[in-house]
Amino acid sequence: MNPKVDFYFVKAKKWQEELENLRTIILDCGLAEQLKWGVPCYTFQESNIVLIHAFKEYCAILFFKGALLKDDKGVLIQQTKNVQAGRQIRFTTVREIVKLKSIVKAYIYEAIEVEKAGLKVDFKKNLEPVAEEFQNKLDENPALKAAFEALTPGRQRGYNLYFSAAKQSKTREARVEKCMTQILDGKGLDD
């Protein structure tokens, strides 16, 4: 247990007992505990394997490369259609955690083996169409285009989703204008 992570379990009022059970199970698998993105993250040789997080409706463990796991028991959930690699196992009671303990451990060990083998998720590129208003800006501004192409695929995708989610052209244009400086600075939408 990493004392720097303890506060997360103390502050979690709604899911405290469930989260502590998940923590114990994960630590029993020999992973190192760290605090990343404000949540407990468990690593194997500095590689992220799984993290714990809590939501209003449930608490969960998230496997970073969950898409590569076999999921023989059918317990892994893709959070949204846009998530390519990560998969969750969700819980709402300690009883569920206890019932699935051996499965959770087996999936953690499998995730460690995936990491040891150096397997990578094959990310699909350009899943989202580029909003016409953004494409126009990219075509007329070579510096913006170069800066956008220099961003990581995930950051590019974040912008594309954000721009294309607006229903009106005027809103898409406003979003593009608002984000241009950030793109030129090499930053993602949420940086």
Side-chain angles (χ1 to χ4, degrees), residues 118-138:
L119 300 179
K120 304 272 185 223
V121 174
D122 184 25
F123 289 103
K124 298 174 186 130
K125 301 208 187 245
N126 299 327
L127 293 175
E128 299 73 33
V130 177
E132 181 181 341
E133 297 78 2
F134 184 48
Q135 187 61 56
N136 292 340
K137 286 288 183 190
L138 292 174

Side-chain angles (χ1 to χ4, degrees), residues 60-72:
I61 58 173
L62 173 86
F63 291 91
F64 286 90
K65 294 182 179 178
L68 299 177
L69 301 180
K70 291 182 185 85
D71 195 21
D72 296 333

Side-chain angles (χ1 to χ4, degrees), residues 144 147 159 176-187:
L144 180 65
Y159 281 117
V176 170
E177 287 294 328
K178 179 182 159 198
C179 293
M180 284 177 54
T181 303
Q182 203 165 336
I183 293 169
L184 289 166
D185 289 343
K187 294 181 178 176

Side-chain angles (χ1 to χ4, degrees), residues 58-83:
Y58 60 88
C59 63
I61 58 173
L62 173 86
F63 291 91
F64 286 90
K65 294 182 179 178
L68 299 177
L69 301 180
K70 291 182 185 85
D71 195 21
D72 296 333
K73 303 297 181 187
V75 295
L76 294 177
I77 297 169
Q78 184 177 0
Q79 283 177 276
T80 69
K81 66 181 176 85
N82 295 320
V83 175

Side-chain angles (χ1 to χ4, degrees), residues 35 37 42 80-81 101 108 120 148 155 158 162 173:
L35 188 66
W37 309 286
Y42 300 88
T80 69
K81 66 181 176 85
K101 181 179 178 177
I108 292 169
K120 304 272 185 223
F148 183 73
R155 287 188 171 105
Y162 178 64
E173 285 177 16

